[in-house]
Amino acid sequence: MSLAHGRQTLAIPGPSVMPERVLQAMHRPAPNIYTGELIDLTHSLVPDLKAVARTEGKVAMYIGNGHAAWEASLANVVNRGDKVLALASGRFGHGWAEMAQALGAEVEILDFGKRDAADPQQVREVLAADKEHRIKAVLVVQVDTSSSAKTDLVAIRGALDAAGHPALLMADCIACLACDRLEMDEWGVDVMVAGSQKGLMTPPGMAFVFYNEKADAVRAGVEFVSSYWDWRPRTEPDMYYQYFCGTAPTHHIYGLRTALDMIVHEEGIEAVWARHETLAKAVWAAMGAWGAEGPLELNIADPAQRSHAVTSARIGAPHGTELREWLTENAGLTLGIGLGMTDSDDPAWHGFFRIGHMGHLNTHMMMGTLGSIEAGLTALGIAHGGGALASAAAVCAAHKTA
Ligand SMILES: *Cc1c(COP(=O)(O)O)cnc(C)c1O
């Protein structure tokens, strides 16, 4: 007998909860891909995606996941033998770097560990030492979904500028686009990659590469760009099929159209960011209270380095796994596993969990997640401080509505 019977909630850091309206928009027969509404819908995604990214640059759309976006971005700017500098604040920074290596790039990794954002000062030093400007691109993950560390892209841009270095600034915003603030143009990001399944509230399956003129000039100098990953035909299609180099992701287009209506035209991106900020702060408030008397701890100590899309927590083995399993069995709530903190065969692996709070999320969903965690801590006899839910509720109560 369990209290899990009811609507199941997935609070993992992607795929995120999808709005009913997005699901309903996708529930239809296959549309014609040669003429008719699908063509107009596809064109209409472009300005709204750019509005979410805050760019006047271009956006290439792909059928693919986040890894596809990684590969697409690299395929357009990196020749075999080119050098790139990758900044890692958790597992995902290494993932993008490994992909660059597999494409034949020479990769230097600046590793900031699992509990800190990238340090702009160190980036500046490495770039300043690169007198011949061999480094062609700096790869940075805005929010590393494993550690939940958020790197200040403005400060990284500042490091490139202070070093007088011409490398492209390439940002992975897959975890946090439409959750954490991003001003692609104002912040001087040259290439930005994202996916459909996190802040954009659509199933996994669409990948996006945003780029500016500087990046496209680099693209012009790349010797071989595979025709599938080439961003140019996708952003300047003479014929409709070129948008996706083949059949369009028909149903994703309907789903994403509805999601962008909700984000850009109904709520507004500023309000979306503000909502995520408050709900993230509610999580931190609860975790701070629980952690006052017990093993629970936020992975990222500095609030300025914490994401508004995902929170990584440490609770000591085996409590992380115990808590996740208890919640799935007794509360209908699934939390994220700890990712990249230890090897999966290390007993310490069971000491972590993550809460995804990206996309379609409101006060009652967030408070339900936190209240369920409190029940789990109590049921399992894991020591924790009191007042967590009251603290989280106070954060939500103080949210300023425009
Ligand atoms: C989810 C994620 C990825 C990978 O996306 P997939 O769709 O799993 O390929 C890459 N980077 C970040 C920051 C992510 O959050």
Side-chain angles (χ1 to χ4, degrees):
M1 283 190 288
S2 140
L3 297 178
H5 300 276
R7 177 161 293 183
Q8 304 295 300
T9 298
L10 190 66
I12 67 175
S16 63
V17 172
M18 288 179 280
E20 290 297 324
R21 282 171 58 192
V22 169
L23 295 173
Q24 282 159 8
M26 299 179 72
H27 192 89
R28 61 173 67 235
N32 191 347
I33 59 167
Y34 299 110
T35 58
E37 124 185 307
L38 188 74
I39 284 70
D40 296 332
L41 279 182
T42 307
H43 295 315
S44 79
L45 298 177
V46 172
D48 288 341
L49 286 166
K50 286 163 53 168
V52 171
R54 304 277 214 164
T55 183
E56 299 290 321
K58 294 196 167 149
V59 57
M61 301 184 280
Y62 298 84
I63 293 183
N65 57 16
H67 284 69
W70 277 348
E71 180 148 342
S73 63
L74 294 165
N76 279 279
V77 299
V78 176
N79 288 302
R80 200 170 267 263
D82 283 349
K83 183 165 180 186
V84 304
L85 176 66
L87 316 182
S89 292
R91 189 55 223 141
F92 289 87
H94 291 285
W96 203 5
E98 285 156 12
M99 198 166 256
Q101 218 150 17
L103 288 169
E106 179 188 334
V107 180
E108 178 173 348
I109 297 181
L110 266 182
D111 191 347
F112 299 94
K114 298 172 173 137
R115 306 195 67 174
D116 285 295
D119 170 15
Q121 185 56 33
Q122 285 186 54
V123 176
R124 179 179 167 171
E125 283 161 21
V126 170
L127 292 172
D130 179 34
K131 299 266 187 275
E132 292 165 17
H133 294 166
R134 285 205 54 230
I135 295 170
K136 197 170 183 189
V138 177
L139 311 183
V140 54
V141 180
Q142 187 185 8
V143 167
D144 197 295
T145 323
S146 62
S147 63
S148 68
K150 176 164 67 184
T151 286
D152 180 353
L153 296 179
V154 176
I156 301 300
R157 174 80 256 166
L160 273 99
D161 293 346
H165 202 291
L168 292 175
L169 179 57
M170 299 177 57
D172 169 351
C173 300
I174 297 170
C176 55
L177 185 69
C179 303
D180 283 282
R181 177 177 290 274
L182 168 74
E183 302 280 359
M184 180 171 166
D185 289 356
E186 193 186 316
W187 296 358
V189 174
D190 300 306
V191 177
M192 189 274 281
V193 299
S196 52
Q197 79 270 30
K198 297 184 186 178
L200 296 180
M201 316 188 297
T202 304
M206 282 183 84
F208 310 100
V209 179
F210 298 79
Y211 63 93
N212 63 16
E213 282 177 15
K214 181 179 171 189
D216 198 46
V218 172
R219 153 71 187 78
V222 172
E223 202 178 347
F224 297 105
V225 179
S226 81
S227 49
Y228 189 79
W229 293 127
D230 194 352
W231 65 34
R232 285 185 165 173
R234 288 173 189 258
T235 54
E236 313 261 349
D238 292 323
M239 280 178 287
Y240 178 72
Y241 84 91
Q242 292 177 306
Y243 262 120
F244 294 98
C245 196
T247 306
T250 49
H251 289 66
H252 281 73
I253 289 170
Y254 283 98
L256 183 62
R257 181 60 268 159
T258 299
L260 290 170
D261 284 343
M262 295 171 73
I263 293 168
V264 178
H265 299 293
E266 294 169 22
E267 189 177 0
I269 191 69
E270 292 278 357
V272 170
W273 289 332
R275 173 166 53 84
H276 282 87
E277 179 174 357
T278 296
L279 295 174
K281 285 179 173 166
V283 173
W284 309 341
M287 294 230 176
W290 288 324
E293 292 166 50
L296 203 151
E297 187 192 353
L298 284 157
N299 187 51
I300 302 297
D302 178 357
Q305 295 188 6
R306 291 180 196 152
S307 170
H308 299 162
V310 52
T311 297
S312 298
R314 321 183 139 237
I315 192 169
H319 300 320
T321 298
E322 261 177 11
L323 181 66
R324 283 190 300 100
E325 289 177 352
W326 189 93
L327 288 166
T328 302
E329 284 160 23
N330 299 283
L333 170 66
T334 301
L335 298 181
I337 58 168
L339 194 67
M341 291 294 163
T342 65
D343 288 337
S344 55
D345 52 3
D346 182 338
W349 188 85
H350 297 285
F352 305 90
F353 68 89
R354 291 175 300 158
I355 304 177
H357 35 90
M358 42 183 59
H360 191 56
L361 186 78
N362 57 22
T363 305
H364 107 268
M365 293 163 76
M366 197 74 259
M367 290 305 297
T369 292
L370 297 173
S372 301
I373 292 173
E374 171 127 347
L377 294 170
T378 304
L380 294 166
I382 301 170
H384 60 281
L389 299 180
S391 307
V395 172
C396 295
H399 184 73
K400 302 241 184 339
T401 45

